[in-house]
Amino acid sequence: MNKKELTKIYRDYNLTDKDVYTDKTRGFTIVSRSGIEKIQFHKNIKVKFDVISKELDNIIIKAKSYTKDNNGNWEEKMETFGSANNKNCIQNFKVEIAEKRALARVIIKTIFLVNTYGEDELKK
């Protein structure tokens, strides 16, 4: 993401350096949990979660985002998944991690950010 795009995101969603930062080593932008929630609030994005897999060591949660159309009706915008398993998560609370990852992914996709990840996607 270039500096102009990043500046626009900061301004549009009232974000701070604690909400969004660039990983210069890996070359992508990271949005923290607080940044995800600010974007969700400012864009009035509703999210619905469905548990796809709830095996002890493999949790998969589907997230769907909804925004209002010009007539005020809710319409589905995006769908994506978040997972937590023994290979990508060392935490014991895998359901919560999968949910946080799914939320971050669906919000980022809903506002069409590219080369951007939620902070929770990068943590084990």
Side-chain angles (χ1 to χ4, degrees):
M1 185 176 309
N2 66 39
K3 188 173 182 173
K4 185 177 179 181
E5 292 170 321
L6 200 53
T7 301
K8 182 175 178 358
I9 289 167
Y10 272 81
R11 192 173 331 128
D12 288 351
Y13 304 114
N14 259 352
L15 302 178
T16 69
D17 290 342
K18 292 181 181 183
D19 299 319
V20 179
Y21 53 96
T22 301
D23 185 317
K24 294 183 187 342
T25 306
R26 296 184 277 187
F28 51 78
T29 302
I30 300 165
V31 183
S32 70
R33 176 67 177 206
S34 63
I36 293 294
E37 291 173 348
K38 285 180 183 179
I39 293 167
Q40 182 181 11
F41 174 77
H42 283 283
K43 291 293 284 185
N44 195 23
I45 301 169
K46 304 292 181 195
V47 177
K48 180 181 180 225
F49 299 100
D50 290 311
V51 177
I52 303 301
S53 171
K54 57 181 176 181
E55 296 174 21
L56 183 61
D57 293 323
N58 186 37
I59 306 298
I60 302 170
I61 294 182
K62 177 170 57 174
K64 289 184 182 181
S65 67
Y66 299 84
T67 59
K68 287 190 176 181
D69 65 16
N70 292 335
N71 297 319
N73 300 312
W74 290 99
E75 65 179 351
E76 184 178 330
K77 283 296 188 184
M78 288 289 167
E79 175 180 295
T80 192
F81 300 86
S83 67
N85 57 52
N86 287 339
K87 293 181 181 177
N88 70 8
C89 181
I90 61 172
Q91 304 297 331
N92 290 326
F93 42 95
K94 289 180 176 39
V95 173
E96 293 85 346
I97 298 295
E99 179 192 33
K100 289 179 1 174
R101 289 175 177 173
L103 177 67
R105 290 176 55 83
V106 80
I107 297 299
I108 288 167
K109 288 178 79 170
T110 299
I111 65 168
F112 304 106
L113 292 180
V114 295
N115 202 29
T116 303
Y117 298 91
E119 186 175 49
D120 293 311
E121 292 183 87
L122 305 174
K123 293 181 179 176
K124 282 195 156 208

